[in-house]
Amino acid sequence: MQGEVQIGGAKNSALKLMVAALLGQGAFCLENVPHITDVCTMAEVLESLGARVRFNAQRMEIEVNALQGRTPEHLVKSMRASVQVMGPLLARLGWVEVALPGGCAIGRRPLDIHLSGLQQMGASIALNGERLVARAPRGLRGADITFRYPSVGATENIMMAAVLAKGETVIRNAAREPEIADVQAFLNAMGARVTGAGTEVIRIEGVGELGCANFVVMPDRIEAGTYLLALLTTGGAGTVCSVRPEHLSPLLNAVRSMGAEIAVDGDRISVAAPKRLRPFGLVTRPYPGFPTDLQPQMVAAATQAHGRSELRETVFDQRFGYLTELRKLGAVARQKGQVVAIHGPTKLHGTRLEAGDLRAGAALVVAALAAEGQSLIHGSQHIDRGYEALERKLSGLGARIRRVE
Ligand code: EPZ
């Protein structure tokens, strides 16, 4: 495959900015919002809470006036990110009710870090059947909170709870993902006082109220990494455009170690696959480590590397479900606990595949593109959660891909 592909706005920023708007008042405009199903689901969540959302062609207008704090069960079950509304609604209304998010294909994903942070800020939280009810009738107060693990969602939830709390909140061992810097910048544009995003200590000075703001969502580093790995795995050369290369350093270092030529020019990254892809040894880590969201796609690339690659997954406890499907294509991959060893190169042959979750689905597409013959991938609804116009973008790189009902 070869050519250029335009990268869209980051799913894992846009979803949080939409929720952060609940803290403010008035008319917001978000640009570079990806048209993916998770964003549409979050728009439904916001509307169920009383906000008005208009969304077309990457531009989203959100009107926030009166709100209520009960989220619809079916929406929270379908998308874990809905629990991000707890912080803002507790801060603004003094109460919130959310269904427990379903477990999902990549592991248990508890909420203990979110809930303990909110409790330290004065919230009382009860489980009412399958629904979490949180109350802070006298408002939230600032607290000095140390996370046992740098949870991305918990960092953002507590940041948002803290912007209207009384006094200062400090989050220690905070997650450092780039999307958190987007949330900080957006909150500050609304009148909040947040500092430290991108480092492990975030400080939030509570203020009385927030206004509204306009904002441009940062590029999606995981979408960009997925297309770079598709080019590499098919032995091609191409460019991803409108990205922030500094957000992709862990991936660029990994593909360079595999022998790829990488050229960075402003907001464009070009990759050219070597004749012989070298194997790698990798561990997924919280940012700035290698991102778990590119782990399945990296394993797909390893099937074409000459030798034995090894990858350890340390962020989620069940994120190798897709290996069964990769083996159907002909991959030689052995999993032992949280480590997978992949022997390559293996000739892959197209077949019928089942996508179990978003990034697993992306990995199957990458591997199927490198396979001989046609593959049929069921479960494209999982892929559509995080990739806008996947078949159009891949066709632009020379792939033969189409959607079939
Ligand atoms: C965000 O999920 C992303 N989702 C995930 O991307 C990403 O994989 C993850 O961060 C890690 O980078 C969104 O931003 C919408 P975590 P999140 O809280 O916030 C455990 C994708 O494909 N944990 O950092 O849920 C948890 O079980 C998605 O785009 C607790 O134990 O991630 C997991 O093992 C997948 N208790 C680990 O921490 C808690 O209270 C990381 O979770 C919270 C988390």
Side-chain angles (χ1 to χ4, degrees):
M1 285 180 12
Q2 57 184 10
E4 291 199 353
V5 60
Q6 193 67 27
I7 298 302
K11 165 177 90 78
N12 294 345
S13 169
L15 293 175
K16 317 315 172 62
L17 302 182
M18 290 169 72
V19 168
L22 295 171
L23 286 157
Q25 188 78 25
F28 297 78
C29 180
L30 297 179
E31 307 272 2
N32 200 32
V33 180
H35 226 287
I36 52 180
T37 53
D38 270 8
V39 166
C40 299
T41 304
M42 187 60 88
E44 280 184 67
V45 171
L46 262 55
E47 289 187 324
S48 72
L49 297 169
R52 286 203 21 244
V53 181
R54 277 219 304 275
F55 182 31
N56 53 31
Q58 281 74 36
R59 179 189 163 88
M60 179 179 282
E61 290 166 3
I62 304 171
E63 179 86 27
V64 177
N65 293 305
L67 294 173
Q68 63 86 19
R70 186 184 164 90
T71 51
E73 185 130 351
H74 68 288
L75 293 177
V76 178
K77 290 263 182 228
S78 70
M79 183 179 66
R80 173 187 167 86
S82 314
V83 294
Q84 303 288 165
V85 304
M86 290 187 77
L89 289 177
L90 252 183
R92 183 183 174 124
L93 302 176
W95 70 280
V96 61
E97 211 180 291
V98 289
L100 273 180
C104 68
I106 58 178
R108 283 171 308 116
R109 303 182 81 178
L111 291 172
D112 60 302
I113 303 170
H114 297 247
L115 303 182
S116 119
L118 294 172
Q119 284 165 327
Q120 291 175 61
M121 296 176 73
S124 63
I125 300 173
L127 192 54
N128 190 350
E130 281 286 293
R131 296 186 73 78
L132 273 175
V133 184
R135 296 188 191 293
R138 289 187 300 286
L140 295 170
R141 59 174 186 275
D144 191 321
I145 300 165
T146 299
F147 282 173
R148 69 172 176 80
Y149 180 88
S151 155
V152 172
T155 299
E156 293 157 338
N157 226 338
I158 298 304
M159 278 166 82
M160 295 191 219
V163 292
L164 295 177
K166 294 177 195 66
E168 183 189 49
T169 298
V170 182
I171 306 173
R172 300 181 197 278
N173 195 25
R176 298 168 54 190
E177 273 67 6
E179 292 74 22
I180 293 169
D182 247 19
V183 172
Q184 171 175 285
F186 184 55
L187 289 171
N188 289 342
M190 291 163 63
R193 289 197 203 127
V194 187
T195 53
T199 76
E200 57 190 49
V201 180
I202 296 178
R203 291 176 190 282
I204 306 102
E205 188 56 49
V207 295
E209 62 173 10
L210 294 181
C212 55
N214 299 333
F215 201 78
V216 181
V217 179
M218 62 181 263
D220 194 316
R221 60 195 168 98
I222 306 301
E223 183 193 18
T226 303
Y227 287 111
L228 286 170
L229 287 168
L231 287 161
L232 187 79
T233 308
T234 53
T239 302
V240 293
C241 309
S242 306
V243 299
R244 299 269 292 276
E246 66 275 21
H247 293 163
L248 279 145
S249 309
L251 175 75
L252 300 185
N253 297 336
V255 298
R256 279 195 186 98
S257 77
M258 295 175 79
E261 290 288 317
I262 294 283
V264 174
D265 170 16
D267 67 351
R268 297 158 61 87
I269 304 174
S270 297
V271 63
K275 284 255 170 309
R276 281 169 64 95
L277 265 182
R278 291 199 292 266
F280 59 82
L282 258 185
V283 183
T284 66
R285 295 267 185 228
Y287 197 88
F290 188 89
T292 175
D293 292 346
L294 286 174
Q295 177 258 93
Q297 303 89 312
M298 202 64 196
V299 168
T303 65
Q304 302 311 304
H306 289 244
R308 180 182 184 280
S309 297
E310 188 174 280
L311 191 147
R312 174 185 296 276
E313 170 59 57
T314 71
V315 177
F316 288 105
D317 54 8
Q318 283 152 29
R319 200 169 201 174
F320 288 129
Y322 62 92
L323 292 178
T324 320
E325 300 302 301
L326 270 191
R327 290 187 191 109
K328 287 182 193 167
L329 282 162
V332 176
R334 277 187 201 77
Q335 178 193 348
K336 201 160 175 304
Q338 290 296 84
V339 180
V340 62
I342 308 102
H343 291 265
T346 40
K347 191 106 197 72
L348 303 179
H349 298 280
T351 182
R352 187 191 175 291
L353 299 164
E354 189 70 44
D357 67 84
L358 166 56
R359 306 303 176 185
L364 296 181
V365 170
V366 168
L369 289 168
E372 201 169 272
Q374 187 182 72
S375 292
L376 186 61
I377 300 179
H378 290 260
S380 59
Q381 72 278 11
H382 294 292
I383 303 172
D384 294 336
R385 292 187 57 169
Y387 291 92
E388 179 177 357
L390 177 84
E391 61 271 38
R392 173 170 61 76
K393 293 192 180 189
L394 281 173
S395 303
L397 291 173
R400 289 203 303 280
I401 178 171
R402 62 191 170 83
R403 196 173 288 263
V404 293
E405 290 319 314

